[in-house]
Amino acid sequence: MTLDDLKPLFEKAHFIRAFEHEIAALSEAGDVPGLVHLCLGAELFEVALCANLEGPGDQVTGSHRSHGLALAMGADPVAVAAEILGRTGGLSEGLGGTQHLLAPEVGFLTSNGIVGGQVPLAAGAALSAKTLKTGGIGVAVMGDGATNQGAVFETMNLAVALKLPLLFVIENNGLGQSTSAHYASGGISPMARARGFGLAASHVEGGDITGCLKTVDRLVSWVRETGSPALVEASVPRLSGHYHGDEQLYRSAADSQPDPLEQFEDTLLRAGATATECHTIKTGAHAAAKAAVTAANQQADTSDEAVARWATRLGGAA
């Protein structure tokens, strides 16, 4: 990857980081319905992942922590923010909210608030791509906390048995909500589990942009060319609580981890970028994110009317 290839990814990663901070501020102001689960720390890996996908032929499903994935796949940021805020112009008229984002037109099939619930849905996308011979793949993105769910194991087994073009992606931050994987899992290596099902599996460090791009490219190509499933595990830090406002009493100062975006900037500087160039990219990304979220926050809340319309379409009363 050249410097010119990396700069747009750096910009997108910082856009996602700034977008999440803007959403966090609105959450503190009481403008976001429910809790928000931010992707702080996973931005670098998510832009690397999505840079190797081809929506809408490829379809991605994500967890409750999927703002960044939707944005990385190319969903309109104003529409994403409006959906999170429950406003007009949202991806689903503001009815899905923060945990249920849908933008299949760009390859983001859905996110899901049920832990692990998105994984079988990605298998459906993979089966559809196989049956219709579209050349696309399904991509199931989950946290390590989902890897103890039966639906995840069942989907791995099914993907191998049916030879589905499905990439399993685990963003491993070592925590399932507030519980350490070392405490909750009998054998904490997701790759070892995946290989037990016969999946090709690799690991990447979430702060290594070059490694992330190369590994994801290799596995996506493998899935696409062979029609067989594979798994990539990315070690990423969780730089915020399980949800915004989580006091994180279960963590200590010893749990602090490097910020992948700082590591990404170091990579750019070593490749010949200047500090001024990096600052300009970050400033522009932050301004664009603020403008998108501000525009969404200015939209009206018409969720009651949207519910009434759907009730009428379904033949019931609002």
Side-chain angles (χ1 to χ4, degrees), residues 170-247:
I170 299 173
E171 295 180 341
N172 191 343
N173 57 39
L175 288 168
Q177 296 191 8
S178 59
T179 304
S180 168
H182 291 275
Y183 175 83
S185 299
I188 63 171
S189 171
M191 287 202 304
R193 295 183 182 188
R195 287 169 177 161
F197 285 101
L199 291 165
S202 293
H203 174 269
V204 295
E205 289 295 333
D208 176 7
I209 183 62
T210 303
C212 287
L213 288 166
K214 287 182 178 178
T215 300
V216 172
D217 174 62
R218 177 169 53 82
L219 288 176
V220 167
S221 297
W222 158 267
V223 173
R224 201 182 304 282
E225 292 168 7
T226 68
S228 299
L231 178 143
V232 59
E233 175 196 8
S235 293
V236 298
R238 197 181 78 192
L239 300 180
S240 60
H242 171 59
Y243 58 88
H244 183 65
D246 178 6
E247 294 183 3

Side-chain angles (χ1 to χ4, degrees), residues 15-241:
F15 178 90
I16 294 170
R17 172 69 60 87
F19 181 97
E20 293 288 65
H21 282 309
E22 293 294 328
I23 292 296
L26 291 180
S27 177
E28 292 173 5
D31 292 331
V32 181
L35 299 175
V36 289
H37 303 79
L38 307 176
C39 70
L40 306 180
E43 304 95 338
L44 181 155
F45 173 71
E46 291 180 351
V47 298
L49 168 67
C50 296
N52 283 286
L53 300 177
E54 302 172 4
D58 299 337
Q59 289 287 334
V60 178
T61 65
S63 70
H64 52 277
R65 199 181 304 280
S66 286
H67 303 167
L69 273 176
L71 294 168
M73 282 302 294
D76 176 59
V78 176
V80 174
E83 186 61 35
I84 295 167
L85 296 169
R87 304 297 177 85
T88 298
L91 297 173
S92 305
E93 301 182 81
L95 297 178
T98 175
Q99 296 190 41
H100 303 96
L101 305 174
L102 299 94
E105 68 280 1
V106 297
F108 188 74
L109 181 61
T110 184
S111 59
N112 196 299
I114 298 172
V115 176
Q118 73 276 21
V119 179
L121 300 179
L127 179 60
S128 176
K130 177 180 180 178
T131 302
L132 298 175
K133 296 181 172 58
T134 66
I137 69 172
V139 181
V141 182
M142 72 197 91
D144 57 288
T147 60
N148 290 327
Q149 294 293 316
V152 174
F153 294 137
E154 291 171 14
T155 305
M156 288 182 178
N157 180 67
L158 189 69
V160 173
L162 297 183
K163 197 176 180 184
L164 297 180
L166 176 58
L167 179 65
F168 296 90
V169 179
I170 299 173
E171 295 180 341
N172 191 343
N173 57 39
L175 288 168
Q177 296 191 8
S178 59
T179 304
S180 168
H182 291 275
Y183 175 83
S185 299
I188 63 171
S189 171
M191 287 202 304
R193 295 183 182 188
R195 287 169 177 161
F197 285 101
L199 291 165
S202 293
H203 174 269
V204 295
E205 289 295 333
D208 176 7
I209 183 62
T210 303
C212 287
L213 288 166
K214 287 182 178 178
T215 300
V216 172
D217 174 62
R218 177 169 53 82
L219 288 176
V220 167
S221 297
W222 158 267
V223 173
R224 201 182 304 282
E225 292 168 7
T226 68
S228 299
L231 178 143
V232 59
E233 175 196 8
S235 293
V236 298
R238 197 181 78 192
L239 300 180
S240 60

